[in-house]
Amino acid sequence: MLSTFNWKKWGSVLASGALVLSLAACGGSSSSSEADDNNKEKVAYPEKPFTINAPSGAGGGLDTTARSLTKVLADTGLVTQAITVENKPGGGQAVGIADFMNQDSKDPYRLYLPSVPLIINNLKKEGNSPYSYKDLTPLAQLTKDYGAIVVPADSKYKDLQSLFEDLKSNPDSLSLAGGSAPGSQDHLVAMLPAVKAGVDATKIKFISYDGGGEAMTALIGGHAEVLATDISGTGEYLKAGKIRVLGVSSPERLTGIFADIPTYKEAGIDAEFTIWRGLFGPKEMPDYAVDFWDETLTEMTQTPEWETALETNGWENGYKNSEEFAGFLAEQEILIQEILESLNMQK
């Protein structure tokens, strides 16, 4: 009887164990299936055409960047799906971001390519956008440019120190031109070093023009004494001997035709300002899509095709991946907030 009892007991235990193993196997099969589905989803992306929202008119800097990006991705075969660029100009990029935010926040086939005004428009008192970079998924910084302070070739000013000395004693004695509204990118390019140099920047006369080209024409035509703009837009005028660039907002001297231009720091002004252009996805973009663009854009920026695009357009390779770009944006938001506060233009 004892032997029979033991066999019955162990038979029951073995049966129970088999049941547990069976259930575990079922559970494992389900988990494995889910994992396989996720992997298939990752492998399948991308499988549809993309759309890039460029918040500028055709031929503008953001439009040119978006179309250069599209061409290089196609030419290198890194993206085989079609990529369409849609221009959404207006409101200093505010129209473009509003359009982008009013669509599916999870769609990984929608991309947005803005620049610094994404941050400025959200922070300034008279800003025209309720959205910031935090409402998007940063994917990559693509290019970088720097601010420049420019005077006519025959100006009495040969350096930043002499210019800011005059502005400190009489800040409204000179007219400063820029290709954007007060509190926007061109304005801040000049206001940052002015504030750091001890100038009462709120009293500087800023004349806003519709674009950097018009502002440069005004400077050369004698309608303004100083111009704040991006350094990449000064090359042809510098070569023609029509202007003098007093300083650039880069951390170190640039190369080529800009090699002789001192940085703000060299002029004794502790200030830097990077003008970036970057790529974003919607706020709830899936991780697999972010990973795809991290890998793809890292590879793209190392190709000769991208180097050619940079050289052709006078851009610098400012590539940062998604994590690096997000960190940089947080730092720049703090800097821009400080400048706006010094101008009493913050929200």
Side-chain angles (χ1 to χ4, degrees):
M1 290 293 295
L2 178 60
S3 175
T4 303
F5 174 78
N6 284 342
W7 279 112
K8 287 182 178 179
K9 177 180 179 181
W10 283 109
S12 176
V13 170
L14 290 171
S16 298
L19 178 61
V20 170
L21 288 172
S22 175
L23 291 172
C26 291
S29 175
S30 176
S31 298
S32 175
S33 176
E34 290 176 5
D36 287 343
D37 287 344
N38 288 335
N39 288 333
K40 287 177 183 177
E41 187 176 29
K42 290 180 183 179
V43 171
Y45 180 85
E47 59 181 358
K48 298 192 303 183
F50 291 96
T51 299
I52 299 179
N53 175 322
S56 72
L62 297 175
D63 173 69
T64 303
T65 306
R67 295 184 190 279
S68 296
L69 172 66
T70 297
K71 184 177 187 305
V72 172
L73 288 171
D75 289 349
T76 56
L78 289 170
V79 174
T80 56
Q81 288 71 26
I83 305 178
T84 301
V85 177
E86 291 185 349
N87 297 105
K88 301 290 182 179
Q93 302 184 27
V95 171
I97 185 64
D99 177 80
F100 191 79
M101 293 301 298
N102 284 330
Q103 299 183 47
D104 186 355
S105 65
K106 296 180 180 179
D107 184 355
Y109 292 92
R110 295 174 49 248
L111 304 170
Y112 182 58
L113 201 156
S115 59
V116 183
L118 172 67
I119 296 177
I120 298 173
N121 289 339
N122 179 249
L123 294 179
K124 68 179 181 178
K125 186 185 302 181
E126 297 179 1
N128 45 7
S129 175
Y131 307 111
S132 79
Y133 76 92
K134 297 172 185 175
D135 297 303
L136 303 165
T137 297
L139 296 177
Q141 178 179 309
L142 297 171
T143 66
K144 63 182 177 182
D145 201 350
Y146 297 102
I149 296 180
V150 183
V151 294
D154 59 357
S155 171
K156 70 175 184 177
Y157 297 110
K158 304 293 191 296
D159 52 51
L160 281 180
Q161 292 96 326
S162 58
L163 172 66
F164 286 136
E165 282 301 319
D166 279 2
L167 286 173
K168 275 199 286 188
S169 59
N170 194 359
D172 62 353
S173 62
L174 299 172
S175 296
L176 170 68
S180 52
S184 56
Q185 182 173 291
D186 284 357
H187 191 207
L188 299 191
V189 161
M191 294 304 103
L192 172 60
V195 168
K196 296 285 187 178
V199 178
D200 184 352
T202 61
K203 295 181 179 178
I204 294 177
K205 292 190 297 185
F206 181 76
I207 305 174
S208 177
Y209 290 89
D210 187 18
E214 286 191 17
M216 180 67 80
T217 299
L219 177 80
I220 296 172
H223 302 294
E225 290 87 2
V226 187
L227 169 68
T229 188
D230 52 87
I231 188 66
S232 64
T234 66
E236 62 178 285
Y237 302 98
L238 195 60
K239 288 179 183 177
K242 294 182 179 181
I243 61 170
R244 179 182 302 125
V245 182
L246 300 183
V248 62
S249 69
S250 56
E252 55 190 28
R253 285 207 183 195
L254 304 177
T255 58
I257 62 171
F258 306 126
D260 294 330
I261 301 170
T263 65
Y264 291 173
K265 286 190 174 182
E266 285 183 84
I269 302 167
D270 187 16
E272 292 179 20
F273 194 84
T274 300
I275 300 171
W276 53 267
R277 293 186 180 124
L279 191 67
F280 295 78
K283 186 172 185 177
E284 299 177 72
M285 190 176 214
D287 288 343
Y288 65 81
V290 177
D291 292 341
F292 169 81
W293 286 109
D294 260 342
E295 295 171 7
T296 300
L297 295 174
T298 296
E299 186 173 350
M300 184 205 74
T301 56
Q302 298 170 358
T303 64
E305 289 86 350
W306 183 243
E307 287 297 324
T308 298
L310 294 174
E311 291 174 11
T312 300
N313 292 285
W315 301 328
E316 284 203 33
N317 189 351
Y319 180 67
K320 289 181 172 63
N321 66 24
S322 57
E323 184 177 356
E324 294 166 340
F325 190 29
F328 167 77
L329 291 169
E331 293 173 357
Q332 190 171 66
E333 184 179 52
I334 293 171
L335 174 63
I336 291 173
Q337 180 70 17
E338 290 175 352
I339 305 171
L340 292 173
E341 287 175 357
S342 70
L343 298 170
N344 296 320
M345 299 182 73
Q346 81 282 7
K347 282 184 179 176

